[in-house]
Amino acid sequence: MVARPLPSRRKPAPHLREKFHDQVREHAAARAPELPELDRLIHERIRLGIVSALATNESLSFNDLKRVLKTTDGNLSVHARKLEEAQYISCVKFFEGRVPRTEYRLTPAGRRALAEYLDQMEEWIRVTREE
């Protein structure tokens, strides 16, 4: 058996490394599909759960949402407030006898935002399955 010398392990010159990395980035950018920007307000798990639950129900109480989403009072309250501020949901507080109740409804703006979010997710899924 004849011993062969090992190939040189010298690093390419810096300008060649940069050129190579630029070509890799350009190739990746050219291949990458344009994906829609997701609505970050709805994309969070609890907020998506709130708008989804309200999309399939005329209204839900705070306790109903808490039970369905399996979350805490504080967590639900914070996320519901963000959706309220964006006018995706409306909140009505009232008393039933002496018991305070909070009821939520999906607004028309919230319904449109959810429909757009679902369209965006369907596009992500379509592109992912094509890859």
Side-chain angles (χ1 to χ4, degrees), residues 29-118:
R31 282 189 11 196
E34 282 294 317
L35 291 169
E37 180 89 20
L38 295 175
D39 183 339
R40 301 305 301 174
L41 185 65
I42 291 180
H43 189 64
E44 203 291 325
R45 185 182 72 83
I46 296 293
R47 293 192 292 260
L48 179 57
I50 292 169
V51 295
S52 297
L54 292 173
T56 58
N57 293 279
E58 187 176 323
S59 67
L60 288 170
S61 71
F62 183 88
N63 287 330
D64 290 337
L65 280 171
K66 188 173 82 166
R67 181 180 39 77
V68 167
L69 300 173
K70 296 177 177 73
T71 191
T72 63
D73 287 7
N75 201 13
L76 178 56
S77 181
V78 166
H79 289 296
R81 176 77 39 105
K82 287 182 187 270
L83 291 168
E84 249 187 293
E85 288 169 358
Q87 298 180 343
Y88 285 3
I89 65 172
S90 64
C91 172
V92 176
K93 295 180 182 252
F94 59 95
F95 282 88
E96 252 182 20
R98 295 182 146 219
V99 178
R101 283 191 40 116
T102 303
E103 198 159 280
Y104 295 98
R105 291 178 187 269
L106 190 62
T107 65
R111 196 168 296 282
R112 282 190 302 275
L114 177 61
E116 187 174 320
Y117 175 82
L118 293 174

